[in-house]
Amino acid sequence: MRVVIAGAGNVGIFLAQDLLEAGHEVLVLEKDPEVAARLGEGQAGGSGAKAADTRQVQWLVGDACDMRTLQAARLETADVMVAATGDDEDNLVVSLLAKQEFAVPRVVGRVNHPKNHWLFKPTWGVDLSVSTPHLLSALVQEAVSVGSLVRLLTLEGGGARLVGVTLADSSPAAGLTIRGLGLPRDASIVAVVRANHVVVPRGDTPLVAGDEVVALVTRDSEDTVRAVLLGAGPPTLGQEPDVD
């Protein structure tokens, strides 16, 4: 798989090294020639951090928001484009160009400011947005919330969501099998964690109070899944307004 990453900050470098070790072809776009030269020699920045060997990463000096840079990167041959700069406006421009001008199959956009998360949608070329603050918030809430639906990850520009809940004693799902839940066709239980062990869910898998249930839902099916797992229940934690 060929991956092009815009931005040679800590996030971009970690991602490049991780993908490289997994056997993928990685090209990093960086507009600061000194940074690109230093990292191209395997000298990763960051005090106190383990230096990443970036010598095998391909480098291209240039502004990722500039069409000439993207053409030089042969972006049309990329399988994935990752807009990982520290500027949300730049990441949106890169994502839009990658999708509309070069038809990159998969575009991932980094969200730096949580309030900008709603912009990272397919209309801006983003297939998947990653917002660290939202992920951290969801993980914190998942650890302390029982009987509340927690949004863990938003996929495909908001069309699909990964949600989780720890079933309370009063949950209407407790005592039922997954088949007996009667979930809508566009929702699915993807994992059950019980006593620190992952249970691969099947139709006859029973649910009990205390289970951590992870489900893949759509925007249309989320309310139904909430009602099935929680009853009336509280609203989804970490939920954002849908802005089109």
Side-chain angles (χ1 to χ4, degrees):
M1 182 172 68
R2 184 169 189 261
V3 182
V4 178
I5 301 172
N10 291 333
V11 173
I13 291 303
F14 175 83
L15 182 59
Q17 181 65 14
D18 206 40
L19 291 169
L20 191 68
E21 291 178 354
H24 302 294
E25 178 186 349
V26 181
L27 171 66
V28 177
L29 309 179
E30 171 55 47
K31 62 183 178 182
D32 188 329
E34 293 184 1
V35 172
R38 172 169 53 81
L39 292 172
E41 295 174 355
Q43 303 174 23
S47 59
K50 181 181 178 181
D53 186 356
T54 53
R55 288 172 294 181
Q56 300 304 314
V57 174
Q58 299 174 30
W59 294 91
L60 179 62
V61 177
D63 187 346
C65 295
D66 191 323
M67 280 288 293
R68 293 170 296 183
T69 301
L70 300 180
Q71 290 167 348
R74 298 184 298 110
L75 196 59
E76 69 278 1
T77 67
D79 299 294
V80 181
M81 176 75 211
V82 182
T85 78
D87 187 292
D88 285 343
E89 291 183 4
D90 286 351
N91 289 341
L92 286 171
V93 171
V94 171
S95 298
L96 187 62
L97 291 174
K99 183 63 71 175
Q100 292 194 353
E101 300 297 330
F102 297 91
V104 178
R106 187 72 165 171
V107 178
V108 180
R110 173 190 178 188
V111 185
N112 294 279
H113 197 296
K115 291 184 178 179
N116 294 331
H117 196 196
W118 66 274
L119 287 167
F120 285 72
K121 292 187 174 183
T123 51
W124 277 94
V126 181
D127 295 307
L128 175 63
S129 61
V130 180
S131 171
T132 302
H134 283 101
L135 289 175
L136 290 174
S137 175
L139 290 172
V140 169
Q141 292 176 96
E142 181 191 22
V144 301
S145 301
V146 175
S148 297
L149 199 68
V150 177
R151 186 170 298 164
L152 303 175
L153 187 64
T154 300
L155 307 171
E156 300 298 338
R161 293 134 184 210
L162 200 64
V163 298
V165 60
T166 299
L167 298 182
D169 293 337
S170 59
S171 169
L176 298 179
T177 63
I178 290 178
R179 185 182 295 111
L181 295 176
L183 295 176
R185 294 178 61 87
D186 54 352
S188 177
I189 304 298
V190 296
V192 176
V193 181
R194 180 177 301 155
N196 295 323
H197 294 286
V198 177
V199 177
V200 179
R202 303 183 186 279
D204 58 355
T205 299
L207 297 178
V208 299
D211 281 352
E212 296 179 37
V213 179
V214 180
L216 184 64
V217 302
T218 64
R219 182 178 300 175
D220 294 334
S221 65
E222 186 172 356
D223 286 343
T224 301
V225 172
R226 182 189 300 112
V228 168
L229 296 177
L230 306 178
T236 302
L237 295 179
Q239 186 168 355
E240 303 168 33
D242 292 322
V243 181
D244 295 319

